[in-house]
Amino acid sequence: MPNWLALYYQDPIEIVSGKGNRVVDASGKSYLDFFAGILTNMIGYDVAEVREAVERQLATGVVHTSTVYLLRGQIELAEKIARLSGIPDAKVFFTNSGTEANETALLLATYARKSDQVLAMRQSYHGRSFGAISVTSNRSWKNNSLSPLNVHFLHGADRHLTQFKGLSDADYIAACVDDLRHVLATAVAGDVAALIAEPIQGVGGFTMAPDGLFAAYQEVLAAEGILFISDEVQTGWGRTGSAFFGIQNHGVTPDMMTFAKGLGNGFAVGGVVARGDLMDAPHAVGLATFGGNPVAMAAANATLDFVLSHDLQANAARTGAIILDGLRAAAPRFPIVGDVRGKGLMFAIELVDPETGAPAPALAARYMEETRNLGLLAGKGGLYGHAMRMAPPLTLTEDEAREGLAILVTALENIS
């Protein structure tokens, strides 16, 4: 395996089994899972409805055909996603991952606008491929400056910068919109293809624009014919609690949305839902060999049905509030906590030097080890690697939310 394939923890763990919202490692230790395979095991482990749907497909003997044949599961799932998206005349194309989904959306946008110019957000992450890295704005994740796109990065999730500190949401949004207008007036040559943005930045440590910023951006973009791509790989399917897709918190219907991760509850699936005219436009033949294969579609249909039938968006709002309210109440006791942020079951703790307030990645590493020792799995992110980011399965119970909150607070006490 390559050296850059990083593993969590000083003594990495192997997860060998799971049930509900807990996993067990090879040594037999059990953990409450607050990271869900990077937001992917969205409804937990060993879910009967998903397992049985996959087993039914396996029993047919058909695990793969490719898109040169009709795939009933694709059509059924596409109809659900198109309806939920709110995008007019929506069509769906399935891929294997979020990276590939973002590549597809960028292709559609640059084809439609006949331009290689793209706007993206500072601190963003959109995947590890050549095109996706070019719209990623985080030095830790960029291997080179080469790019198939001409990219300009916008403000919107960087309120820690000196020029924005102390601004109200309205004033910050106004400053960001002024900057967008200035970029369009000075840095581009007209005919910008699209803005691609995460409603909540995943690798960025769950930093986010204030609600309403993307509506203000879209007003400017629409006047210039610039398309809007919402990267919902981490924010989709009700995770924020307050909306089914993250961009809906801004009152925006984008031209395209990309998705992946949780939809398959561990099975590889991604895709793009876009306006029909954009999806139909490319003139060359296209297909997906593995994208939307029959087994992944069985899992994804079962997962989405489970999310909707159990109203897991409401559960995310309810259990997320227990954790976020508890963390915010505890935070003043800990000078090492610079910020607590999030929506629903998508939340982060930013760790800082208690004397200077500077980002403290070493403290974050200690906190990772401490939560692991206490029986909870968490993730790490942030521009400087100093934010603990967590996104438990949407099936988290209220008792598990309180249990996890207690572990998180105890871990802060232990490293303070």
Side-chain angles (χ1 to χ4, degrees):
M1 309 297 284
N3 290 339
W4 46 260
L5 195 64
L7 291 168
Y8 275 167
Y9 307 114
Q10 293 176 2
D11 182 16
I13 65 173
E14 177 192 6
I15 295 172
V16 297
S17 65
K19 183 75 176 178
N21 300 316
R22 298 177 192 271
V23 296
V24 177
D25 71 15
S27 72
K29 183 177 175 66
S30 177
Y31 305 89
L32 182 60
D33 189 359
F34 264 34
F35 203 37
I38 318 181
L39 294 85
T40 298
N41 300 305
M42 184 169 66
I43 58 175
Y45 299 86
D46 194 24
V47 180
E49 288 86 343
V50 177
R51 184 182 67 251
E52 290 165 4
V54 169
E55 288 172 346
R56 285 193 297 272
Q57 183 59 46
L58 291 173
T60 69
V62 178
V63 298
H64 172 74
T65 64
S66 91
T67 56
V68 297
Y69 301 100
L70 288 173
L71 287 161
R72 182 178 299 273
Q74 278 200 4
I75 295 169
E76 292 173 346
L77 184 59
E79 288 175 343
K80 296 170 189 174
I81 293 170
R83 183 180 69 252
L84 291 164
S85 74
I87 294 173
D89 187 32
K91 292 193 175 184
V92 179
F93 178 75
F94 291 105
T95 65
N96 301 292
S97 68
T99 294
E100 190 184 343
N102 285 329
E103 289 279 355
T104 303
L106 291 167
L107 173 65
L108 294 176
T110 54
Y111 184 94
R113 294 281 291 162
K114 301 296 185 285
S115 170
D116 68 347
Q117 297 181 108
V118 173
L119 305 174
M121 305 296 291
R122 294 188 181 194
Q123 304 177 179
S124 60
Y125 175 81
H126 296 287
R128 55 168 173 72
S129 63
F130 191 45
I133 285 175
S134 71
V135 290
T136 289
S137 177
N138 185 319
R139 185 173 177 176
S140 297
W141 294 84
K142 291 177 81 78
N143 284 306
N144 59 49
S145 62
L146 302 175
S147 173
L149 300 169
N150 184 351
V151 185
H152 298 278
F153 293 100
L154 304 178
H155 298 292
D158 49 10
R159 296 178 76 165
H160 63 284
L161 296 178
T162 301
Q163 64 265 42
F164 300 130
K165 282 184 178 178
L167 293 184
S168 67
D169 284 356
D171 287 344
Y172 179 60
I173 290 171
C176 291
V177 171
D178 280 349
D179 179 71
L180 168 60
R181 293 186 187 279
H182 196 251
V183 167
L184 294 176
T186 62
V188 302
D191 297 327
V192 173
L195 165 66
I196 183 168
E198 304 159 274
I200 299 177
Q201 296 180 331
V203 166
F206 292 171
T207 47
M208 68 188 84
D211 289 350
L213 181 134
F214 289 120
Y217 272 3
Q218 190 187 44
E219 186 174 343
V220 176
L221 300 175
E224 302 247 356
I226 300 168
L227 302 173
F228 189 6
I229 304 165
S230 182
D231 180 342
E232 300 280 347
V233 170
Q234 297 197 29
T235 49
W237 322 118
R239 177 161 292 282
T240 68
S242 50
F244 198 69
F245 292 104
I247 198 63
Q248 293 168 347
N249 288 305
H250 293 259
V252 169
T253 300
D255 300 287
M256 300 183 229
M257 291 193 290
T258 58
F259 57 84
K261 288 194 181 292
L263 179 59
N265 204 49
F267 286 84
V269 59
V272 181
V273 53
R275 284 176 11 211
D277 61 308
L278 297 173
M279 191 70 83
D280 287 340
H283 64 273
V285 174
L287 56 78
T289 301
F290 288 105
N293 82 79
V295 177
M297 292 296 93
N301 270 295
T303 299
L304 184 53
D305 289 348
F306 190 98
V307 168
L308 296 171
S309 64
H310 290 77
D311 195 8
L312 294 188
Q313 179 182 329
N315 189 62
R318 185 167 53 250
T319 54
I322 291 171
I323 298 167
L324 276 164
D325 289 349
L327 288 174
R328 286 169 176 150
R333 294 196 283 125
F334 304 105
I336 62 172
V337 175
D339 190 23
V340 172
R341 55 178 174 262
K343 285 182 183 290
L345 285 176
M346 193 172 188
F347 48 90
I349 303 171
E350 191 171 273
L351 297 172
V352 299
D353 183 292
E355 300 296 328
T356 66
L363 270 177
R366 285 180 58 196
Y367 194 61
M368 280 278 288
E369 297 293 337
E370 194 62 32
T371 52
R372 178 255 180 100
N373 292 337
L374 293 169
L376 182 142
L377 300 184
K380 189 169 66 171
L383 186 60
Y384 307 104
H386 66 300
M388 302 302 303
R389 58 178 181 133
M390 290 160 279
L394 302 186
T395 46
L396 193 76
T397 68
E398 293 185 23
D399 285 344
E400 289 169 333
R402 295 186 183 94
E403 177 188 351
L405 171 63
I407 291 173
L408 294 173
V409 173
T410 298
L412 287 172
E413 292 171 344
N414 291 349
I415 68 168
S416 292

